[in-house]
Amino acid sequence: QSVLTQPPSVSAAPGQKVTISCSGSSSSIGNNYVSWYQQLPGTAPKLLIYENNKRPSVIPDRFSGSKSGTSATLGITGLQTGDEADYYCGTWDSSLRAVLFGGGTKLTVL
Amino acid sequence: EAQLVESGGDLIKPGGSLRLSCAASGLIFSNAWMSWVRQAPGKGLEWVGRIKTKSEGGTTDYAAPVKGRFTISRDDSKKTLYLQMSSLKTEDTAIYYCTPMETITGSEFIAFDIWGLGTMVTVSS
């Protein structure tokens, strides 16, 4: 069971917007940076967001991240069928001295 | 361009041991904190552990499920990371990825920016 909680699945139509939540604690998200990863079927994870809301240069601005208190959110606008993937949040937990991942959210673009 | 190539995955019986390797290129390996992350079939990502740089003592941290059974080490002269796994259990079956930990001063972890293809470990009798 993951210590970071994500919804198992979300869905939306092409062109629409979707958000994926990630809930943690004061020792995890509350006091550490959050990152987000996209994993397409059969491939390795890919970094989408780091330091809560920053994007690597190769990631389009359709992807955004935010953090408030002990929760974080990934937003994706202008959904495309190619966005269908599993999405994971990650952070450090200062009490456990460990990197935590959320359980993952499967995005379906209807 | 940075590249990571994991190897050593195999089919192994419960209770057995196995050593994984990760060859790095295109990054200053000796300056990088390195981690292993695994993914069981059909499951999510799970952090295994990390090793800091030699200049920072080569300190290691491990996830609770593998602590005492797995050991991470590094050979900076070969730009290679290792994961020695012992007392393997069926629940250790997974793809194992190595990845450098992006960090900044005052923070233990920012993100995993570079990933290899992984190597598959299957623990089964």
Side-chain angles (χ1 to χ4, degrees):
Chain A
Q1 186 175 0
S2 302
V3 184
L4 299 182
T5 302
Q6 297 181 233
S9 64
V10 295
S11 62
Q16 296 301 302
K17 174 182 178 178
V18 71
T19 60
I20 298 173
S21 61
C22 175
S23 178
S25 67
S26 57
S27 63
S28 60
I29 292 177
N31 280 285
N32 293 285
Y33 290 110
V34 176
S35 50
W36 288 91
Y37 305 85
Q38 177 193 61
Q39 188 174 33
L40 298 170
T43 69
K46 176 183 179 181
L47 177 65
L48 290 178
I49 298 289
Y50 66 100
E51 291 183 36
N52 305 330
N53 55 17
K54 297 180 180 179
R55 285 178 290 106
S57 59
V58 296
I59 303 300
D61 59 6
R62 299 189 299 109
F63 295 88
S64 64
S66 64
K67 182 182 117 171
S68 178
T70 59
S71 294
T73 302
L74 174 70
I76 311 173
T77 60
L79 279 171
Q80 303 172 1
T81 55
D83 295 332
E84 286 200 336
D86 293 321
Y87 292 84
Y88 297 90
C89 57
T91 191
W92 179 257
D93 188 292
S94 304
S95 294
L96 297 174
R97 292 197 60 77
V99 173
L100 303 181
F101 287 105
T105 299
K106 184 176 183 60
L107 169 64
T108 301
V109 181
L110 302 169
Chain B
E1 181 182 349
Q3 189 174 10
L4 300 161
V5 179
E6 302 92 342
S7 61
D10 205 349
L11 170 62
I12 190 90
K13 287 182 167 49
S17 297
L18 192 65
R19 189 178 82 158
L20 306 183
S21 300
C22 169
S25 60
L27 71 155
I28 306 175
F29 183 78
S30 59
N31 288 353
W33 293 7
M34 297 296 297
S35 269
W36 288 95
V37 174
R38 68 183 181 181
Q39 186 170 34
K43 302 297 184 182
L45 302 174
E46 180 183 25
W47 181 74
V48 172
R50 70 161 180 193
I51 186 167
K52 294 186 178 182
T53 63
K54 284 276 182 4
S55 64
E56 293 170 293
T59 308
T60 52
D61 288 289
Y62 298 94
V66 307
K67 197 168 186 178
R69 299 189 298 121
F70 289 11
T71 302
I72 299 174
S73 61
R74 62 192 301 158
D75 185 334
D76 290 345
S77 67
K78 295 182 179 179
K79 296 185 179 181
T80 301
L81 180 73
Y82 301 101
L83 179 65
Q84 179 68 49
M85 304 184 291
S86 60
S87 302
L88 281 162
K89 306 175 181 181
T90 55
E91 51 263 42
D92 295 319
T93 295
I95 297 173
Y96 285 73
Y97 299 98
C98 75
T99 172
M101 298 180 75
E102 298 298 323
T103 61
I104 58 175
T105 302
S107 176
E108 292 284 340
F109 170 66
I110 297 297
F112 296 122
D113 190 17
I114 305 165
W115 297 75
L117 296 179
T119 186
M120 183 70 203
V121 173
T122 303
V123 184
S124 174
S125 54

